[in-house]
Amino acid sequence: MNPNHPQKHIITYSTPSPGAATSSVTGGDVTEKGKNMWDEEDAGVDELLAMLGYKVKSADMVDVAQKIEHLEGVLGNDDELSQIASDSVHYNPSDLNSWLESMICELNPSPEPPMIDDSFMNATLPDSELQAIAGNAIYPPLKKLKPNCSSSSSASASASSTYNPNPNNLNQNQVVLVDSQENGIRLVHTLMACAEAVQQENFQLAESLVKQAGMLAVSQAGAMRKVATCFVEALARRIYRLSPPTPQDPPAFSDLLQMHFYETCPYLKFAHFTANQAILEAFAGKKKVHVIDFGMKQGMQWPALMQALALRPGGPPTFRLTGIGPPSGDNTDHLQEVGWKLAQLAETVHVKFEFRGFIAGSLADLEPAMFDLRTDEVLAVNSVFELHQLLARPGAIEKVLSAVKEMKPELLTVVEQEANHNGLNFLERFTESLHYYSTLFDSLESSGTGSGGLDGGGILPVTNQDKFMSEVYLGKQICNVVACEGTDRVERHETLTQWKIRLDSAGFEAVHLGSNAFKQASMLLALFAGGDGYRVEEDNGCLMLGWHTRPLITTSAWKIR
Amino acid sequence: MAGSNEINANEAKKVVPLHTWILISNFKLAYNMLRRPDGTFNRELAEFLDRKVSANTVPVDGVYSFDVVDRTTSLLNRIYRCAPPESESGRQLGAGIIELEKPLSSTEIVPVIIFFHGGSFTHSSANSAIYDTFCRRLAGLVHGVVVSVNYRRSPEHRFPCAYEDGWETLKWVHSRSWLLSGKDSKVHVYLAGDSSGGNIAHHVAHRAAISGVEVLGNILLHPLFGGEERMESERKLDGKYFVKLQDRDWYWRAFLPEGETRDHPACNIFGPRGSSLTGLNFPKSLVVVAGLDLVQDWQLAYYEGLQRSGQDVKLLFLKKATIGFYFLPNNEHFYTLMEEMKNFIKSGVC
C-alpha cells in the first residue's frame, strides 16, 4: 500500500525440535508436566473430519448426518427460514453435532424427533472407510477408530504425523517480514545467535553478538528497526545483568502507556468490547449487577458497558463496580479518581452506580470476604492482561482462581495475549516473542498515519505520540520477557490452549462467545482499525484478534462447571 | 418439496462415503443460509463458520507453510514448501532458520503451482482448512512449491477482481528469486484451481498467453463455467448431488457485473462473446470433470473448445465422482486425481 516500503523478504523460523526435521504437529506439550489436553478431549474424534477443522465423535457420525438431512428438509426450500437461521446467533461451528442441534431447536421449538433414516444405519462403518491404504506416501497412516480400542495412538506420542489444524498449536511460528537488504537477514540471524549464546551462558560471544545486532538494527527501517532495537536492548540488559533488569515504573506511567496503546490500535478496544458483550449477555434480565475488575487502570472498559446497560430494554440494573489496582506509591488514591469519573458518567445516563476501589500488590492477596458480595446480585469478574502476571509466583494463579470460584460469579471474562512466552527454554521464548512482537509492531506501523485503508484510526486520528508511547509500552514487555527471570518476569503470556487447561482444572468451563459478538467485533474493526490487516477469528468459542493470519489477543469467557 | 429432497439425499448417499456426504452437505447447509435472495451475502457469518488454520513453519508430512503479504498489492498468499531433507540442515543457530534468499535449486526443476481455491468466487480462503490440507498434499505430491492465492471474492468484489489478483500473483511469483529452479534458472510456473479457482486459472493463463508470460500448464478441477443456455447435465442433475442450478445462478449473478448474463466471456469461454484461443501460446491443460457435477457439460464444452483451438488438453472424466471428491482421501477418484496431477506436472518437468 505504501509505495515507499521496500520489498520484503521472508525468514521463517521453527522452534528447535530435537533432531527431526519432520516433527509432528499435534497437541504437543502444553504444560511443563506434559499433560496433553487433546488426549482427553479428542478421544474418539473422527480423524478425517478433524483434519478439516471439525470435531465430530466417530460415534456421532450417523447422528450428525441425520441432523443435516433434517435441517436440509426444513431449510431447503424455505428462504425465510434460511434467513432466520442466518440471523440467529451461532456457537462453535467446529462441534458439528451441537451446532446442528442448536439450529434444530431454534427453528423448531417443539422438535419432532428427526426422521430416522435407515439408509445411514446401513452405511459403511467408519472403520472400513478409514482402513489405511497401505503404502500411500501422500496420506499419513490413520489410526483405527474402533470405539473401544484402547491402543488408539495418543496424540502426544512420537512420529504419528497427525495434522492438527488447530491454530492454537503451540509449536507453530509465523512469518517475520524483514527488509530486503542483506542486513535485515543478518540482523535476525545475529539476534537468534545471540539468544542462543545467552542460553548456553557463553556471555563473551553473546556480548559481541549483541553489539553487532545493535549496529545492524539501526540500519533497518520501520517496524523491523523498532522491534530489533527493543530486543537488542533487552538482550543487553540480560547480558550485562543490569539491575533492576527492567526499570520499575510508577503505575500511573504504565497506565498512561497502556492508554496510548489503547488509542493506537484496536487490540484493547476489541478486548473490552468482546468482554463487555459476554458480560451483557450474562447480565440479561438481572436487576442488580456487580463487576469486579482485576486491573482497573483508567477504567477504559466501563463507560461502554455502562451505556449499554443504560440502553437496555426494560431499563438499567443497579451497577456496582469494584476496581482493583496496585499501590500508587505517591499517596494519591488514583482508583477513587477513576471511580468518581465513572460515577459522573453514570449520573448522566441515569444508571444507579456504586464504586469501590481496592489496592492490592498482587491479586493473590485478595480474599472473597473483602468484596461485600451480595446474594441478590449477579457477579462478573473481568481480567484483562492480569492473569499471566500471576504465573511468576508458584501457587498464585491457583489461589486466585479458587478465590474467584468461591465468589460464585456468573461469568469470568479473560483477555490474554495469544502466545507462549512462558516456556522453560530461553531460546524458544526468545523466538516466540520475536515473532509475536514483530507482528504486533508491523500492525502498529500501518495504524493511523494515513497508510491506505481508512484515513487515520477512525474517529480520532492516531498521533505520533500515541504510536511512540505504544512502542515504549510494547518495548517494556519485550524487556521483561527477555531480560527478567523469576518473580521479576511477569509477562508470562500463555496461549488459549494453555489457559484452557488451567481453567479446566480450576473447575471452569468455557462459555461460547457467539457469532453475534464475532460479527459486531468485525464491524467495529472495519470502522475503527487503521490498517487493513486485522482479522477476527473464532476458535472453540473464543474470539481472537490478530494481524493477518496471526492471532495476537484472545477473549474468552468462563463459568463454574 | 421435502419428498424430493429425500430422494436426492438418498442418491448422494449412495455414491459418496459417509464422511464426504457429511462434509459437503454441511457446506451446502451453511451456504444456503449465507446467500440472501436479494443477492447479498452474510460475510460475517461465513467467516465465523469457515474453519481456518494458521500457517505452520514446522513441517507436517514434509511440507511447511507460511503467509506472505505483498506490500504493493496487499494480497495474502500462503506458500507451501517441501522441507529440505535432514542432511541439508547446517542450521547451527539451533532455531531452524530457513533462508529464502536462495533459489529452490540450481540443478533440478522445482515446479511452482499457483493455486486458486474454489468456493464459487464467494466462499473460502487460502487459509480454509479444506484448502490448506489440499495444498499441503499437492506440494508434497509434486515435490514443489504451492502458492495459494487469497483472491478477492464476490459479491463484494465482482469480475474482474479475482482475475486481477491472479494476474498480480503470477507476476509476483515470476519475480521471486527464491522460486527459481533448474539449470535455466527460471520460475517453473503452473496454474491450478478447483471450481471458481479453475475458472480463474483459465483467465490468468489466457492473459499470460497474450502477454507473453510463461505458464507451463493448467490444472482445472471441475472448473466453473456456464452460459445462458441450459445444458442437459444441468437439467438432469439439478439438485441431485449437493448442488442446485439456482445456486449456480446466484453465484454468477454475484460475480458477473450487474445486469450481465451468463454468456459473459468470464463465464462462457467458447460462447458467443468469447475470444478465440487459436494460435495462442496457451499452456497445456488437464481438465478434470466429475461425472455427477451438473456443470459437466460446460466443462466438456470447454475441453472441446480448447481442442478446436489447437491447444494441448487432456480430459480426466471421473464418472462417479461428485464435487469436492478431492477433499478427503477416502475414495478412488482422489487417488486417480493425485496420480494424474503428478504425471501432468512431471511430464512438464523432465
PDB file of all heavy atoms in Angstrom, chain B residues 7-26:
ATOM      1  N   ILE B   7     -35.260 -37.860  -1.768  1.00  0.00           N
ATOM      2  CA  ILE B   7     -34.780 -38.700  -2.873  1.00  0.00           C
ATOM      3  C   ILE B   7     -33.360 -38.309  -3.232  1.00  0.00           C
ATOM      4  O   ILE B   7     -32.502 -39.144  -3.426  1.00  0.00           O
ATOM      5  CB  ILE B   7     -35.686 -38.540  -4.115  1.00  0.00           C
ATOM      6  CG1 ILE B   7     -37.063 -39.081  -3.793  1.00  0.00           C
ATOM      7  CG2 ILE B   7     -35.082 -39.252  -5.309  1.00  0.00           C
ATOM      8  CD1 ILE B   7     -38.090 -38.773  -4.859  1.00  0.00           C
ATOM      9  N   ASN B   8     -33.153 -36.992  -3.314  1.00  0.00           N
ATOM     10  CA  ASN B   8     -31.835 -36.530  -3.715  1.00  0.00           C
ATOM     11  C   ASN B   8     -30.791 -36.860  -2.669  1.00  0.00           C
ATOM     12  O   ASN B   8     -29.681 -37.231  -2.984  1.00  0.00           O
ATOM     13  CB  ASN B   8     -31.870 -35.025  -3.973  1.00  0.00           C
ATOM     14  CG  ASN B   8     -32.762 -34.709  -5.150  1.00  0.00           C
ATOM     15  OD1 ASN B   8     -32.909 -35.521  -6.043  1.00  0.00           O
ATOM     16  ND2 ASN B   8     -33.378 -33.538  -5.131  1.00  0.00           N
ATOM     17  N   ALA B   9     -31.195 -36.733  -1.396  1.00  0.00           N
ATOM     18  CA  ALA B   9     -30.231 -37.065  -0.350  1.00  0.00           C
ATOM     19  C   ALA B   9     -29.855 -38.534  -0.466  1.00  0.00           C
ATOM     20  O   ALA B   9     -28.689 -38.896  -0.323  1.00  0.00           O
ATOM     21  CB  ALA B   9     -30.826 -36.765   1.010  1.00  0.00           C
ATOM     22  N   ASN B  10     -30.821 -39.343  -0.735  1.00  0.00           N
ATOM     23  CA  ASN B  10     -30.539 -40.772  -0.870  1.00  0.00           C
ATOM     24  C   ASN B  10     -29.594 -41.051  -2.022  1.00  0.00           C
ATOM     25  O   ASN B  10     -28.690 -41.855  -1.922  1.00  0.00           O
ATOM     26  CB  ASN B  10     -31.834 -41.556  -1.082  1.00  0.00           C
ATOM     27  CG  ASN B  10     -32.533 -41.784   0.238  1.00  0.00           C
ATOM     28  OD1 ASN B  10     -31.881 -41.969   1.250  1.00  0.00           O
ATOM     29  ND2 ASN B  10     -33.849 -41.757   0.230  1.00  0.00           N
ATOM     30  N   GLU B  11     -29.839 -40.371  -3.144  1.00  0.00           N
ATOM     31  CA  GLU B  11     -28.959 -40.534  -4.305  1.00  0.00           C
ATOM     32  C   GLU B  11     -27.516 -40.260  -3.924  1.00  0.00           C
ATOM     33  O   GLU B  11     -26.624 -41.050  -4.188  1.00  0.00           O
ATOM     34  CB  GLU B  11     -29.345 -39.503  -5.376  1.00  0.00           C
ATOM     35  CG  GLU B  11     -30.604 -39.785  -6.119  1.00  0.00           C
ATOM     36  CD  GLU B  11     -30.346 -40.700  -7.307  1.00  0.00           C
ATOM     37  OE1 GLU B  11     -29.170 -40.982  -7.597  1.00  0.00           O
ATOM     38  OE2 GLU B  11     -31.333 -41.139  -7.901  1.00  0.00           O
ATOM     39  N   ALA B  12     -27.327 -39.089  -3.309  1.00  0.00           N
ATOM     40  CA  ALA B  12     -25.968 -38.671  -2.989  1.00  0.00           C
ATOM     41  C   ALA B  12     -25.325 -39.641  -2.013  1.00  0.00           C
ATOM     42  O   ALA B  12     -24.160 -39.973  -2.137  1.00  0.00           O
ATOM     43  CB  ALA B  12     -25.981 -37.256  -2.428  1.00  0.00           C
ATOM     44  N   LYS B  13     -26.111 -40.114  -1.058  1.00  0.00           N
ATOM     45  CA  LYS B  13     -25.555 -41.001  -0.042  1.00  0.00           C
ATOM     46  C   LYS B  13     -25.035 -42.292  -0.640  1.00  0.00           C
ATOM     47  O   LYS B  13     -24.131 -42.904  -0.106  1.00  0.00           O
ATOM     48  CB  LYS B  13     -26.637 -41.365   0.977  1.00  0.00           C
ATOM     49  CG  LYS B  13     -26.807 -40.354   2.083  1.00  0.00           C
ATOM     50  CD  LYS B  13     -27.786 -40.904   3.092  1.00  0.00           C
ATOM     51  CE  LYS B  13     -29.027 -40.034   3.222  1.00  0.00           C
ATOM     52  NZ  LYS B  13     -30.141 -40.769   3.810  1.00  0.00           N
ATOM     53  N   LYS B  14     -25.646 -42.674  -1.765  1.00  0.00           N
ATOM     54  CA  LYS B  14     -25.233 -43.960  -2.348  1.00  0.00           C
ATOM     55  C   LYS B  14     -23.861 -43.870  -2.997  1.00  0.00           C
ATOM     56  O   LYS B  14     -23.166 -44.864  -3.112  1.00  0.00           O
ATOM     57  CB  LYS B  14     -26.243 -44.397  -3.416  1.00  0.00           C
ATOM     58  CG  LYS B  14     -27.528 -44.924  -2.851  1.00  0.00           C
ATOM     59  CD  LYS B  14     -28.420 -45.491  -3.975  1.00  0.00           C
ATOM     60  CE  LYS B  14     -29.879 -45.368  -3.596  1.00  0.00           C
ATOM     61  NZ  LYS B  14     -30.706 -44.959  -4.719  1.00  0.00           N
ATOM     62  N   VAL B  15     -23.512 -42.704  -3.460  1.00  0.00           N
ATOM     63  CA  VAL B  15     -22.295 -42.640  -4.265  1.00  0.00           C
ATOM     64  C   VAL B  15     -21.076 -42.078  -3.548  1.00  0.00           C
ATOM     65  O   VAL B  15     -19.974 -42.135  -4.075  1.00  0.00           O
ATOM     66  CB  VAL B  15     -22.512 -41.804  -5.549  1.00  0.00           C
ATOM     67  CG1 VAL B  15     -23.556 -42.445  -6.424  1.00  0.00           C
ATOM     68  CG2 VAL B  15     -22.900 -40.387  -5.200  1.00  0.00           C
ATOM     69  N   VAL B  16     -21.287 -41.500  -2.362  1.00  0.00           N
ATOM     70  CA  VAL B  16     -20.116 -40.988  -1.654  1.00  0.00           C
ATOM     71  C   VAL B  16     -20.027 -41.605  -0.277  1.00  0.00           C
ATOM     72  O   VAL B  16     -21.040 -41.952   0.319  1.00  0.00           O
ATOM     73  CB  VAL B  16     -20.137 -39.448  -1.512  1.00  0.00           C
ATOM     74  CG1 VAL B  16     -20.066 -38.775  -2.849  1.00  0.00           C
ATOM     75  CG2 VAL B  16     -21.328 -38.985  -0.729  1.00  0.00           C
ATOM     76  N   PRO B  17     -18.818 -41.701   0.258  1.00  0.00           N
ATOM     77  CA  PRO B  17     -18.679 -42.216   1.616  1.00  0.00           C
ATOM     78  C   PRO B  17     -19.344 -41.267   2.614  1.00  0.00           C
ATOM     79  O   PRO B  17     -19.536 -40.086   2.320  1.00  0.00           O
ATOM     80  CB  PRO B  17     -17.160 -42.243   1.831  1.00  0.00           C
ATOM     81  CG  PRO B  17     -16.538 -42.046   0.506  1.00  0.00           C
ATOM     82  CD  PRO B  17     -17.530 -41.367  -0.353  1.00  0.00           C
ATOM     83  N   LEU B  18     -19.625 -41.786   3.767  1.00  0.00           N
ATOM     84  CA  LEU B  18     -20.322 -41.019   4.792  1.00  0.00           C
ATOM     85  C   LEU B  18     -19.624 -39.703   5.129  1.00  0.00           C
ATOM     86  O   LEU B  18     -20.252 -38.641   5.248  1.00  0.00           O
ATOM     87  CB  LEU B  18     -20.434 -41.878   6.053  1.00  0.00           C
ATOM     88  CG  LEU B  18     -21.178 -41.257   7.253  1.00  0.00           C
ATOM     89  CD1 LEU B  18     -22.581 -40.850   6.852  1.00  0.00           C
ATOM     90  CD2 LEU B  18     -21.228 -42.245   8.403  1.00  0.00           C
ATOM     91  N   HIS B  19     -18.314 -39.766   5.279  1.00  0.00           N
ATOM     92  CA  HIS B  19     -17.565 -38.557   5.637  1.00  0.00           C
ATOM     93  C   HIS B  19     -17.750 -37.470   4.603  1.00  0.00           C
ATOM     94  O   HIS B  19     -17.914 -36.305   4.925  1.00  0.00           O
ATOM     95  CB  HIS B  19     -16.066 -38.862   5.734  1.00  0.00           C
ATOM     96  CG  HIS B  19     -15.699 -39.644   6.934  1.00  0.00           C
ATOM     97  ND1 HIS B  19     -15.898 -40.994   7.017  1.00  0.00           N
ATOM     98  CD2 HIS B  19     -15.170 -39.261   8.105  1.00  0.00           C
ATOM     99  CE1 HIS B  19     -15.484 -41.414   8.190  1.00  0.00           C
ATOM    100  NE2 HIS B  19     -15.042 -40.396   8.870  1.00  0.00           N
ATOM    101  N   THR B  20     -17.651 -37.876   3.346  1.00  0.00           N
ATOM    102  CA  THR B  20     -17.790 -36.909   2.265  1.00  0.00           C
ATOM    103  C   THR B  20     -19.193 -36.333   2.272  1.00  0.00           C
ATOM    104  O   THR B  20     -19.401 -35.133   2.102  1.00  0.00           O
ATOM    105  CB  THR B  20     -17.488 -37.571   0.913  1.00  0.00           C
ATOM    106  OG1 THR B  20     -16.251 -38.247   1.012  1.00  0.00           O
ATOM    107  CG2 THR B  20     -17.450 -36.559  -0.203  1.00  0.00           C
ATOM    108  N   TRP B  21     -20.179 -37.193   2.473  1.00  0.00           N
ATOM    109  CA  TRP B  21     -21.553 -36.709   2.479  1.00  0.00           C
ATOM    110  C   TRP B  21     -21.739 -35.667   3.574  1.00  0.00           C
ATOM    111  O   TRP B  21     -22.324 -34.608   3.359  1.00  0.00           O
ATOM    112  CB  TRP B  21     -22.529 -37.869   2.695  1.00  0.00           C
ATOM    113  CG  TRP B  21     -23.951 -37.451   2.419  1.00  0.00           C
ATOM    114  CD1 TRP B  21     -24.613 -37.519   1.230  1.00  0.00           C
ATOM    115  CD2 TRP B  21     -24.855 -36.851   3.343  1.00  0.00           C
ATOM    116  NE1 TRP B  21     -25.875 -37.012   1.354  1.00  0.00           N
ATOM    117  CE2 TRP B  21     -26.052 -36.585   2.636  1.00  0.00           C
ATOM    118  CE3 TRP B  21     -24.783 -36.510   4.695  1.00  0.00           C
ATOM    119  CZ2 TRP B  21     -27.166 -35.999   3.231  1.00  0.00           C
ATOM    120  CZ3 TRP B  21     -25.895 -35.915   5.288  1.00  0.00           C
ATOM    121  CH2 TRP B  21     -27.072 -35.669   4.556  1.00  0.00           C
ATOM    122  N   ILE B  22     -21.213 -35.985   4.765  1.00  0.00           N
ATOM    123  CA  ILE B  22     -21.349 -35.033   5.873  1.00  0.00           C
ATOM    124  C   ILE B  22     -20.637 -33.723   5.548  1.00  0.00           C
ATOM    125  O   ILE B  22     -21.181 -32.636   5.741  1.00  0.00           O
ATOM    126  CB  ILE B  22     -20.799 -35.642   7.181  1.00  0.00           C
ATOM    127  CG1 ILE B  22     -21.768 -36.716   7.681  1.00  0.00           C
ATOM    128  CG2 ILE B  22     -20.600 -34.577   8.243  1.00  0.00           C
ATOM    129  CD1 ILE B  22     -21.361 -37.362   8.982  1.00  0.00           C
ATOM    130  N   LEU B  23     -19.418 -33.839   5.045  1.00  0.00           N
ATOM    131  CA  LEU B  23     -18.634 -32.627   4.770  1.00  0.00           C
ATOM    132  C   LEU B  23     -19.341 -31.736   3.768  1.00  0.00           C
ATOM    133  O   LEU B  23     -19.576 -30.552   4.016  1.00  0.00           O
ATOM    134  CB  LEU B  23     -17.254 -33.026   4.235  1.00  0.00           C
ATOM    135  CG  LEU B  23     -16.322 -31.867   3.922  1.00  0.00           C
ATOM    136  CD1 LEU B  23     -15.801 -31.249   5.198  1.00  0.00           C
ATOM    137  CD2 LEU B  23     -15.161 -32.323   3.052  1.00  0.00           C
ATOM    138  N   ILE B  24     -19.703 -32.300   2.625  1.00  0.00           N
ATOM    139  CA  ILE B  24     -20.277 -31.482   1.558  1.00  0.00           C
ATOM    140  C   ILE B  24     -21.677 -31.016   1.918  1.00  0.00           C
ATOM    141  O   ILE B  24     -22.057 -29.871   1.643  1.00  0.00           O
ATOM    142  CB  ILE B  24     -20.290 -32.246   0.216  1.00  0.00           C
ATOM    143  CG1 ILE B  24     -18.939 -32.895  -0.070  1.00  0.00           C
ATOM    144  CG2 ILE B  24     -20.702 -31.334  -0.912  1.00  0.00           C
ATOM    145  CD1 ILE B  24     -17.884 -31.941  -0.553  1.00  0.00           C
ATOM    146  N   SER B  25     -22.443 -31.879   2.549  1.00  0.00           N
ATOM    147  CA  SER B  25     -23.798 -31.462   2.932  1.00  0.00           C
ATOM    148  C   SER B  25     -23.768 -30.368   3.976  1.00  0.00           C
ATOM    149  O   SER B  25     -24.620 -29.476   3.986  1.00  0.00           O
ATOM    150  CB  SER B  25     -24.594 -32.641   3.497  1.00  0.00           C
ATOM    151  OG  SER B  25     -24.704 -33.636   2.542  1.00  0.00           O
ATOM    152  N   ASN B  26     -22.768 -30.430   4.846  1.00  0.00           N
ATOM    153  CA  ASN B  26     -22.642 -29.390   5.851  1.00  0.00           C
ATOM    154  C   ASN B  26     -22.358 -28.046   5.187  1.00  0.00           C
ATOM    155  O   ASN B  26     -22.926 -27.015   5.565  1.00  0.00           O
ATOM    156  CB  ASN B  26     -21.537 -29.755   6.834  1.00  0.00           C
ATOM    157  CG  ASN B  26     -21.417 -28.748   7.946  1.00  0.00           C
ATOM    158  OD1 ASN B  26     -22.388 -28.457   8.628  1.00  0.00           O
ATOM    159  ND2 ASN B  26     -20.242 -28.182   8.118  1.00  0.00           N
TER     160      ASN B  26
END
